[in-house]
Amino acid sequence: KKARVLAVLDDLATLLLLVPLQILVSGWKTVLLLHIFITLGLVYAGMRWANTCRWPVRKPWLVLYSVALIVISKLLESWTTIHVEMLLPAFVMGCILRHRSMETPEDPRSVTEGDDPQSALDQSIKGLFLFLVGAALPKIPLADVPWMSVALHVLALTLLGNLGKCIPLFFYRNEASLRSRAALSVAMFPRGEVGAGVLFLALGSGIGGLPVLVGSLSLALNLCLTGVFIAIVRRLLK
């Protein structure tokens, strides 16, 4: 349970950082007060009503909720010119929905029959999402990039980012072995959905050049190494 909370807070901290980043890049505007109010309201809703919404949580329903959130976000943007990053409302929706694993075994909603097709749908959506992230990122200017310098920057950024995810090694010593804590840390290496959101924010704010290039390649490198990380985790947990 603590590992799940750690993973959630890792994403939440980054999502909340998006607002001051937008202010830093775009400058202060009065309309940003409403943006901050909406952000804080969403965070409060996620904490106040966590695990209380008993709507269906099977994968097709989650797709429907996602479409609804996108429509609401687009309507809000057209009425107020405020662009709310979809990651935050999606995160809050996930917080307030009551997952079937929290129901009692006697509850009909806890039945997991037919989950395999849903799992395939889930993986397909995630794969499509990451493909579209890569397709939306700018092309790499092959002629103008010093590739040796870029490679060193990508390796350094990837190493530092992954070292930052090794914080669990220094905690939970009375609850888990060193190998288990190391496995948890390695398992968090390839998590890139929020990182992709930050890259999109940078592009939307006019930031480009070497920082976005290095960040994109670092994200891609971590995702490409997912199989390696899984093998390391399996080895540690044997």
Side-chain angles (χ1 to χ4, degrees):
K1 288 182 178 180
K2 286 187 176 182
R4 290 177 180 177
V5 171
L6 180 66
V8 168
L9 292 181
D10 176 41
D11 281 351
L12 180 59
T14 308
L15 291 175
L16 296 180
L17 184 62
L18 292 179
V19 177
L21 278 177
Q22 286 179 315
I23 296 175
L24 184 65
V25 171
S26 306
W28 174 256
K29 300 174 185 176
T30 307
V31 72
L32 288 174
L33 282 174
L34 182 56
H35 194 170
I36 293 173
F37 177 77
I38 292 173
T39 300
L40 294 178
L42 286 171
V43 173
Y44 174 79
M47 296 171 61
R48 174 65 177 79
W49 293 289
N51 303 320
T52 59
C53 182
R54 295 180 177 271
W55 291 358
V57 292
R58 298 176 73 85
K59 293 303 188 300
W61 284 99
L62 295 180
V63 173
L64 180 61
Y65 302 152
S66 302
V67 173
L69 286 176
I70 292 172
V71 172
I72 294 172
S73 176
K74 289 300 180 183
L75 290 175
L76 178 66
E77 186 174 359
S78 65
W79 293 338
T80 64
T81 69
I82 293 178
H83 175 66
V84 178
E85 294 297 326
M86 277 306 303
L87 290 170
L88 184 55
F91 170 83
V92 173
M93 174 64 78
C95 288
I96 65 176
L97 287 175
R98 187 172 181 84
H99 196 270
R100 62 176 173 270
S101 62
M102 306 186 73
E103 306 289 349
T104 59
E106 294 78 19
D107 194 310
R109 284 167 292 194
S110 65
V111 178
T112 58
E113 204 172 308
D115 275 350
D116 288 341
Q118 293 184 44
S119 178
L121 174 64
D122 186 37
Q123 295 302 321
S124 299
I125 292 175
K126 289 178 180 177
L128 177 62
F129 167 76
L130 291 173
F131 172 78
L132 292 176
V133 167
L137 292 174
K139 294 181 180 180
I140 299 175
L142 298 175
D144 304 326
V145 176
W147 275 103
M148 183 58 68
S149 175
V150 169
L152 292 176
H153 277 83
V154 170
L155 290 175
L157 180 62
T158 306
L159 178 62
L160 288 173
N162 288 343
L163 282 176
K165 295 178 181 178
C166 291
I167 288 294
L169 286 173
F170 304 99
F171 298 92
Y172 315 120
R173 296 181 180 180
N174 297 329
E175 303 173 51
S177 66
L178 178 62
R179 294 175 72 92
S180 295
R181 286 178 277 139
L184 171 62
S185 302
V186 175
M188 294 179 69
F189 285 2
R191 301 173 66 240
E193 293 87 347
V194 176
V198 175
L199 285 174
F200 275 123
L201 173 62
L203 291 172
S205 303
I207 299 176
L210 191 60
V212 172
L213 171 62
V214 171
S216 304
L217 292 177
S218 177
L219 174 64
L221 178 60
N222 255 346
L223 293 174
C224 288
L225 291 175
T226 299
V228 177
F229 297 146
I230 291 174
I232 294 174
V233 170
R234 292 170 62 90
R235 178 83 176 181
L236 287 169
L237 293 179
K238 272 189 175 180

